[in-house]
C-alpha cells in the first residue's frame, strides 16, 4: 500500500476500493467545475464508473504503469492526483490532478505536485515529469509554473472536451533541474 505523508495536513495514498463512495460523491458535487477541464465526467455517471476507475488504477499500479492517489487533507479524502502514466522506457511520468471545489485555493495541489515530482525524480529514478494543461486552465498551469517547470510548447488541439478541442500546454521538469531546485 502506497502512503506518502507530505506535511502535517496533506498526504497521498493509493486509491482503494473502499474509497469509491467518497470519490464519487466529490466527483458528483464538483461535476460542473471539473467538467470544464477534464474529459471523463460524462463517463462517470454512477458509483460503478468510479469503481471501474479504481479497479483499472489498481491493475495499472500493479504493472508499474500508473500511480493514482487519493489526496487526504486534514483526515478527509478531497481529490485525486498521481501519475496517469509512467513510461519506464522514456523514464517519464505524467502528472494529473483534480480537487473537490471546497478545497481549492489552499495550496493543496502545489504541495501535492511538488511531492509527486520529488517522488518520481528523487526516489523512483525517473528522468522527467510532465504536466499538461489546457491553455485556458490558468489554475492548473499555475502549479507547474510555481514549481519551476519549463514550458516546453503547445500541442495544438491536444485535447477533446466533449464538444470542442483545446490546445494543451506542456510543462516539463528534468531530474537534473529538480536536483538543483530550491522548490523541492
Ligand atoms: C487546478 C487545481 C487542481 C488547483 O488546485 P489548488 O489546490 O487550488 O491549487 P494550488 O495548490 O495551486 O493553490 C493555489 C491557490 O491557493 C492559494 N494558497 C494558499 N496557500 C498556499 C500555499 N501554501 N502554497 C501555494 N498556494 C497557496 C494560492 O494563493 C492560490 O490561490 P488563487 O488560486 O486564488 O491564486 C484545481 O483548481 C482543480 O481541481 N481544478 C479542476 C480540475 C483541473 O483543472 N485539473 C487539472 C487538469 S490539467
Amino acid at each position: 500500500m502506497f502512503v506518502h505523508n507530505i506535511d502535517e495536513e496533506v498526504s497521498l495514498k493509493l486509491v482503494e476500493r473502499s474509497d469509491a463512495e467518497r470519490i464519487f460523491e466529490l466527483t458528483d458535487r464538483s461535476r460542473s467545475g471539473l467538467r470544464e477541464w477534464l474529459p471523463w465526467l460524462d463517463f462517470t455517471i454512477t458509483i460503478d464508473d468510479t469503481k471501474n476507475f479504481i479497479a483499472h488504477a489498481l491493475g495499472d499500479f500493479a504493472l508499474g504503469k500508473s500511480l493514482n492517489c487519493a489526496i487526504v487533507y486534514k483526515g478527509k479524502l478531497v481529490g485525486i492526483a498521481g501519475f496517469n502514466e509512467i513510461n519506464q522506457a522514456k523514464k517519464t511520468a505524467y502528472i494529473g490532478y483534480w480537487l473537490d471545489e471546497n478545497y481549492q485555493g489552499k495550496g493543496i495541489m502545489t504541495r501535492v505536485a511538488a511531492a509527486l515530482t520529488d517522488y518520481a525524480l528523487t526516489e523512483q529514478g525517473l528522468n522527467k515529469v510532465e504536466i499538461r494543461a489546457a491553455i485556458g486552465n490558468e489554475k492548473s498551469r499555475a502549479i507547474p509554473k510555481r514549481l519551476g517547470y519549463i514550458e516546453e510548447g503547445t500541442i495544438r488541439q491536444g485535447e477533446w472536451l466533449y464538444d470542442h478541442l483545446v490546445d494543451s500546454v506542456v510543462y516539463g521538469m528534468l531530474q537534473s533541474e529538480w536536483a538543483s531546485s530550491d522548490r523541492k
Side-chain angles (χ1 to χ4, degrees), residues 100-152:
D100 177 61
E101 275 173 2
N102 295 337
Y103 292 90
Q104 295 179 18
K106 299 175 190 298
I108 293 175
M109 207 56 88
T110 299
R111 287 181 261 175
V112 165
L116 286 169
T117 304
D118 196 57
Y119 179 70
L121 301 179
T122 307
E123 289 186 43
Q124 291 296 297
L126 294 171
N127 179 57
K128 185 173 186 183
V129 178
E130 273 187 35
I131 298 178
R132 292 185 180 205
I135 201 160
N137 193 349
E138 294 295 345
K139 285 185 177 177
S140 181
R141 292 178 60 189
I143 293 172
K145 283 187 206 168
R146 203 177 283 126
L147 296 177
Y149 277 62
I150 302 294
E151 185 175 321
E152 300 193 334

Side-chain angles (χ1 to χ4, degrees), residues 31-102:
R31 183 174 292 279
S32 62
L34 296 178
R35 194 177 182 278
E36 192 178 356
W37 301 117
L38 296 170
W40 45 263
L41 276 301
D42 288 3
F43 310 104
T44 309
I45 302 301
T46 72
I47 192 170
D48 284 342
D49 299 318
T50 300
K51 286 180 180 169
N52 280 339
F53 157 71
I54 294 171
H56 275 110
L58 293 175
D60 279 355
F61 173 72
L63 296 171
K65 286 162 60 175
S66 74
L67 173 63
N68 280 284
C69 294
I71 301 167
V72 180
Y73 175 73
K74 295 185 176 175
K76 278 190 179 167
L77 196 164
V78 297
I80 299 290
F83 306 122
N84 295 330
E85 184 191 341
I86 300 169
N87 187 319
Q88 300 287 357
K90 293 184 187 171
K91 290 183 164 292
T92 301
Y94 302 84
I95 288 182
Y97 40 63
W98 63 267
L99 206 55
D100 177 61
E101 275 173 2
N102 295 337

